Amino acid sequence: MSEIWPTELRVSKDRHRLTVTFNDGASFDLSAEMLRVLSPSAEVQGHGQGQGVTVPGKRNVAILSMTPTGNYAVRIGFDDMHDTGIFTWSYLRELGEKGEELFGEYEKALAEKGMTRDKAERPR
């Protein structure tokens, strides 16, 4: 078992943020958007090196569910029906510590691919 584990996982009332507090007292406020676009799922990360996908249009995504997975992780479900990401305690900690940097890399990848964080409007 990991030496770090959360003592609290709290979803905000608007369901757009997750606060994670760890047993060593560290606490992080993570956006649902960041959790969604950096999901550890194969759908986002791919099945091997360099197979990751840049996921656009998730600025307003919300957390729908959180399901414990053993005593090492939580599966987070989002309102866009993505629910295959199993977030280990160590990955949540990494997102807390390096999330700003990782999200910056995500925004750069979006720009390079001509994508945005906003959902595309449907043609009328």
Side-chain angles (χ1 to χ4, degrees):
M1 188 168 138
S2 172
E3 291 183 26
I4 60 161
W5 64 88
T7 56
E8 182 177 42
L9 297 169
R10 182 182 302 253
V11 178
S12 64
K13 287 184 182 184
D14 68 2
R15 308 199 74 69
H16 291 280
R17 308 210 60 85
L18 172 64
T19 301
V20 183
T21 303
F22 288 92
N23 61 315
D24 65 358
S27 185
F28 303 98
D29 182 46
L30 309 173
S31 74
E33 178 186 15
M34 180 178 69
L35 292 166
R36 172 60 179 92
V37 302
L38 298 177
S39 170
S41 69
E43 177 185 328
V44 174
Q45 300 300 325
H47 291 280
Q49 187 71 14
Q51 294 183 353
V53 175
T54 304
V55 182
K58 301 300 177 185
R59 183 187 303 268
N60 295 311
V61 73
I63 297 169
L64 277 185
S65 64
M66 294 193 1
T67 307
T69 302
N71 57 3
Y72 68 94
V74 64
R75 179 187 300 259
I76 301 177
F78 299 91
D79 66 354
D80 67 352
M81 299 305 121
H82 177 77
D83 67 354
T84 58
I86 296 175
F87 293 77
T88 63
W89 307 147
S90 59
Y91 188 58
L92 286 173
R93 181 66 176 243
E94 180 182 349
L95 290 176
E97 292 175 348
K98 299 179 183 175
E100 194 172 306
E101 175 186 340
L102 296 170
F103 196 78
E105 292 171 10
Y106 160 74
E107 288 181 302
K108 182 178 176 185
L110 281 177
E112 289 171 354
K113 296 175 181 181
M115 300 173 169
T116 72
R117 293 173 54 201
D118 296 306
K119 197 172 206 171
E121 290 189 31
R122 292 184 178 168
R124 296 176 192 221

